[in-house]
Amino acid sequence: MVIKKIAILFSGTGSNLEKLLAFLHQQTFEHCKIEVVATICNRPNAAGIEKSRAYGIEPIIIDHTRYASREAFDEALVEAIVKSGAELTVLAGFMRFLTPYFTEHIKAINLHPSLLPLFKGGNAIKESFESPMKVAGISIHYVSEELDGGEIIAQRCFEKYEGMPFEDFEAKIHALEHELLPETVKNLLNRN
Ligand code: GRF
């Protein structure tokens, strides 16, 4: 059985990290077994740290505030990922801009809470909620030099209903993320 190794990067709550661990870690699929070989977090107090520990994986903390530049931080990230042996890196709520140094060295995918190419950047949920569009959704895309601009791999959408409260909108976004991200990672890896 082929073992496919992944690394997961996160910054905060870690609900997507938890879904990835629950659905994929040490799970056997038709063509492979998936192993999460590293979880990496840039914030020493992130709630997701405990979620990773619950699966027996001690997160690697790479605190961005301790690095003089984005490049120096990315060099540390790349070193940790390469050392882990991961062939695919999943950005699951990882809130840092990455430099070309990262994208040149690491094959990574990112979860973004809008229907790209609309609403790139850090305010996607609010912007798509406030837009006149009748649908909203989420995207998973390859990480490229351009922020939220790499090739789209998968998307899922829903219809906004009249008077939909922001809390319901946000909850719907997260529910779709929790389904689509593990499924997409599995589909990318579980191939002949
Ligand atoms: C998700 O909505 C993700 O799309 C966004 O940050 C959130 C992370 O949530 N970029 P969590 O840490 O996985 O709970």
Side-chain angles (χ1 to χ4, degrees):
M1 179 58 70
V2 183
I3 295 182
K4 300 276 177 89
K5 298 178 178 180
I6 64 170
I8 304 171
L9 273 53
F10 66 100
S11 296
T13 314
S15 65
N16 286 285
L17 163 82
E18 187 167 41
K19 296 293 173 189
L20 288 166
L21 287 166
F23 187 73
L24 303 176
H25 184 49
Q26 305 287 20
Q27 300 299 314
T28 302
F29 301 98
E30 200 185 351
H31 300 295
C32 70
K33 180 176 175 183
I34 297 178
E35 198 177 318
V36 178
V37 288
T39 60
I40 303 177
C41 181
N42 64 306
R43 295 201 180 118
N45 298 319
I49 291 170
E50 284 306 323
K51 296 190 168 93
S52 180
R53 286 184 181 143
Y55 285 82
I57 303 169
E58 185 59 33
I60 300 166
I61 310 296
I62 304 179
D63 181 350
H64 63 274
T65 62
R66 292 175 175 268
Y67 293 83
S69 65
R70 287 193 187 278
E71 285 74 17
F73 172 70
D74 281 7
E75 278 173 28
L77 268 186
V78 168
E79 193 185 335
I81 294 167
V82 170
K83 206 170 147 194
S84 77
E87 67 179 76
L88 180 70
T89 295
V90 182
L91 274 55
F94 185 67
M95 310 306 274
R96 295 296 301 165
F97 291 114
L98 294 164
T99 66
Y101 182 84
F102 182 93
T103 51
E104 278 160 19
H105 288 84
I106 300 296
K107 182 182 178 186
I109 65 172
N110 180 45
L111 170 67
H112 185 76
S114 78
L115 290 173
L116 289 172
L118 298 171
F119 313 121
K120 293 178 179 177
N123 279 320
I125 299 182
K126 193 165 176 286
E127 285 172 17
S128 67
F129 176 74
E130 286 171 356
S131 89
M133 288 180 66
K134 299 294 185 197
V135 294
I138 62 162
S139 305
I140 294 160
H141 63 92
Y142 284 108
V143 176
S144 72
E145 270 181 47
E146 192 199 333
L147 178 69
D148 300 326
E151 184 194 339
I152 295 167
I153 304 164
Q155 291 183 306
R156 203 153 279 175
C157 66
F158 63 96
E159 285 184 26
K160 289 187 206 170
Y161 61 82
E162 196 60 37
M164 188 172 197
F166 180 73
E167 294 67 34
D168 290 8
F169 182 87
E170 195 173 33
K172 184 69 188 167
I173 293 276
H174 293 313
L176 291 185
E177 291 183 332
H178 295 161
E179 279 172 23
L180 188 63
L181 185 59
E183 190 183 306
T184 302
V185 175
K186 189 202 88 178
N187 290 342
L188 286 174
L189 297 175
N190 186 34
R191 289 176 178 167
N192 254 328

